[in-house]
Amino acid sequence: MDTETIVSQLLGPEGRRDPYPLYEQLRALGPAVRTDEYMVMVTGYEEANEVLRTPGFGVLDPELSAQFLADYADHPGKTLLGHSILERNAPDHGRMRSLIASVFTPRRVALLAPAVTAAVDALLDELAAHGDRPVDFLDAFAFRLPIGVICELLGVPDEDRHLFRPLAADLTATLEVLVEDDELVAADRAAEELARYFADLTARRRADPKDDLVSALVATADADPRRLSDTELLANLALLLIAGFETTGNLLGNALALLLGRPDTAAQLRDGALDPAALVDEVLRHDSPVQLTSRVALADDLAVGGRPVPRFTGVLLLLGAANRDPRRFPDPGRFDPARRDGQPLSFGGGPHYCLGAQLARLEAATALPALLRRFPGLASAGPAVRRERLVLRGYRTLPVLLNAG
């Protein structure tokens, strides 16, 4: 099958539901394949890893987006995140990231462990109330946990937290390769509402600081306004919210779907015979909640996999394929939590490595064993339905019975 046909199928409904066979067809053409005059697709682990860490490759920042997308400036759903570290290159990226990292520290995340455990226990109590009735794990648990945790971290008051799941879900549509018109309208609305909310919250924290991330960011930004503007502050708060919500929710759903089909592995995790951190890493590798990311060649004389990449050529890094590269992971299609073959690229790498990776791992490693211990008879209650998205991979519904026997 030629490259054009593979890419067309990858963008179609079936390809988005199960991209892995198509990844392998692309891989057969080489670890880096030119799909047209403007794009290279990468399936190789080492090649993707190199691109993520090479300074000459950058993200599609607002200036480039405005050149290539005629309606870019008309959509708040696109422009809001353009002011965040997600879509900024040096020197702006480093300036903002260093400030955010100075308050979003490993120590702050580690101190969240009791709050994560408490949130997990509270949600498990609510699940228990369903008794013998089927329940959608995603609605009842997987997406509620990360929203609660990230709101706790940011300092969003309890009474406001119900607002954020639909807003975060709508805004993440702009991260996809294909976005329908109605999704873009919803994303624009979500971006405007999030910007208004965080503008109000930052104003309240300036007047009355708390022990939360918003207060810390406001104080640090106010101490040196050159390091983070008000617009950048709002954009990065929105980014922390949606990144903390979508990827972790999909990680939990993907993990449970794998465990439901592997009762022996689930029993090992429940009984403490399997390291939860190792299981989480293997879920990230085997069925990554983030399937791809992109870079743009910002310098001359760059190459990927031995192929020259002219300036302004796009490079699509298929992380889901790289995580199954047989040169890096023996028998890559097999789910094996005992692997010790190297880190998956699910959280990216280099200067744009996900700031929330530690938190996502903490939530999943806490939640999954607790879920299986609380409900040892947990079982599928019907077919799980995939979301037809290419970038953010997860389920639309995952029905379960909590006490199937």
Side-chain angles (χ1 to χ4, degrees):
M1 192 182 300
D2 62 61
T3 305
E4 183 178 352
T5 303
I6 297 172
V7 173
S8 176
Q9 291 189 6
L10 191 60
L11 294 173
E14 288 299 323
R16 281 177 279 171
R17 281 193 288 269
D18 184 13
Y20 295 110
L22 295 167
Y23 290 161
E24 294 313 309
Q25 292 180 37
L26 272 176
R27 193 191 313 283
L29 303 176
V33 178
R34 179 171 287 281
T35 58
D36 58 34
E37 181 182 356
Y38 306 104
M39 182 66 67
V40 173
M41 298 185 82
V42 178
T43 58
Y45 183 99
E46 293 301 333
E47 291 77 11
N49 198 27
E50 181 181 359
V51 170
L52 289 168
R53 288 165 169 74
T54 299
F57 291 105
V59 297
L60 192 66
D61 62 23
E63 289 74 21
L64 290 172
S65 293
Q67 290 182 40
F68 298 124
L69 303 172
D71 64 344
Y72 174 79
D74 300 328
H75 292 289
K78 296 179 179 179
T79 58
L80 176 64
L81 296 182
H83 296 284
S84 75
I85 58 173
L86 182 69
E87 297 180 7
R88 282 292 180 180
N89 293 305
D92 288 338
H93 176 268
R95 169 179 57 80
M96 288 190 284
R97 186 181 176 103
S98 64
L99 181 117
I100 297 167
S102 71
V103 295
F104 189 23
T105 61
R107 180 176 180 275
R108 185 182 287 271
V109 172
L111 290 173
L112 276 175
V116 171
T117 298
V120 167
D121 290 343
L123 287 173
L124 293 179
D125 288 342
E126 292 186 31
L127 278 180
H130 288 267
D132 296 331
R133 290 172 292 138
V135 58
D136 184 354
F137 174 71
L138 301 178
D139 280 341
F141 190 96
F143 286 119
R144 291 182 62 194
L145 175 63
I147 277 289
V149 171
I150 197 65
C151 285
E152 179 73 21
L153 176 68
L154 292 174
V156 173
D158 290 346
E159 62 270 21
D160 293 343
R161 295 182 184 185
H162 68 282
L163 303 170
F164 289 96
R165 181 183 168 187
L167 294 177
D170 286 344
L171 188 55
T172 56
T174 62
L175 304 178
E176 290 294 318
V177 175
L178 299 175
V179 184
E180 301 293 337
D181 288 345
D182 59 335
E183 292 179 316
L184 191 51
V185 169
D188 288 342
R189 184 166 52 246
E192 291 171 340
E193 290 187 33
L194 285 171
R196 281 195 295 269
Y197 182 85
F198 282 122
D200 176 67
L201 183 60
T202 54
R204 283 185 276 158
R205 291 297 180 264
R206 279 192 172 97
D208 183 20
K210 307 291 185 184
D211 184 20
D212 57 42
L213 192 61
V214 170
S215 297
L217 280 171
V218 167
T220 308
D222 287 352
D224 186 356
R226 295 169 300 177
R227 295 184 64 190
L228 199 67
S229 70
D230 286 346
T231 301
E232 290 167 344
L233 175 60
L234 300 182
N236 282 292
L237 288 173
L239 173 63
L240 289 170
L241 174 75
I242 67 167
F245 156 71
E246 185 80 16
T247 54
T248 306
N250 285 339
L251 171 59
L252 289 166
N254 294 353
L256 184 60
L258 286 164
L259 289 168
L260 289 173
R262 295 166 174 81
D264 290 345
T265 303
Q268 289 179 321
L269 184 63
R270 182 184 63 237
D271 299 340
L274 178 61
D275 178 10
L279 176 107
V280 170
D281 266 358
E282 179 64 352
V283 173
L284 288 165
R285 185 202 69 81
H286 187 268
D287 201 16
S288 175
V290 179
Q291 286 286 302
L292 65 87
T293 189
S294 62
R295 294 292 185 268
V296 178
L298 299 179
D300 297 314
D301 302 322
L302 294 173
V304 180
R307 291 179 174 272
V309 180
R311 191 180 182 92
F312 297 132
T313 298
V315 182
L316 208 59
L317 304 173
L318 300 173
L319 304 179
N323 286 340
R324 294 192 180 196
D325 187 343
R327 298 175 302 166
R328 177 76 178 194
F329 303 100
D331 195 6
R334 179 169 56 91
F335 181 72
D336 180 10
R339 285 184 188 274
R340 297 293 183 269
D341 305 307
Q343 293 296 315
L345 295 177
S346 307
F347 291 116
H352 281 271
Y353 183 77
C354 177
L355 274 173
Q358 180 188 353
L359 181 57
R361 285 189 165 101
L362 170 65
E363 290 178 62
T366 302
L368 293 167
L371 173 72
L372 296 174
R373 287 193 296 267
R374 184 69 175 270
F375 304 109
L378 185 72
S380 173
V385 179
R386 281 280 184 189
R387 299 169 71 189
E388 291 182 5
R389 286 191 169 185
L390 187 58
V391 178
L392 300 174
R393 180 166 171 79
Y395 289 91
R396 185 182 303 278
T397 59
L398 184 57
V400 296
L401 288 171
L402 301 171
N403 302 295

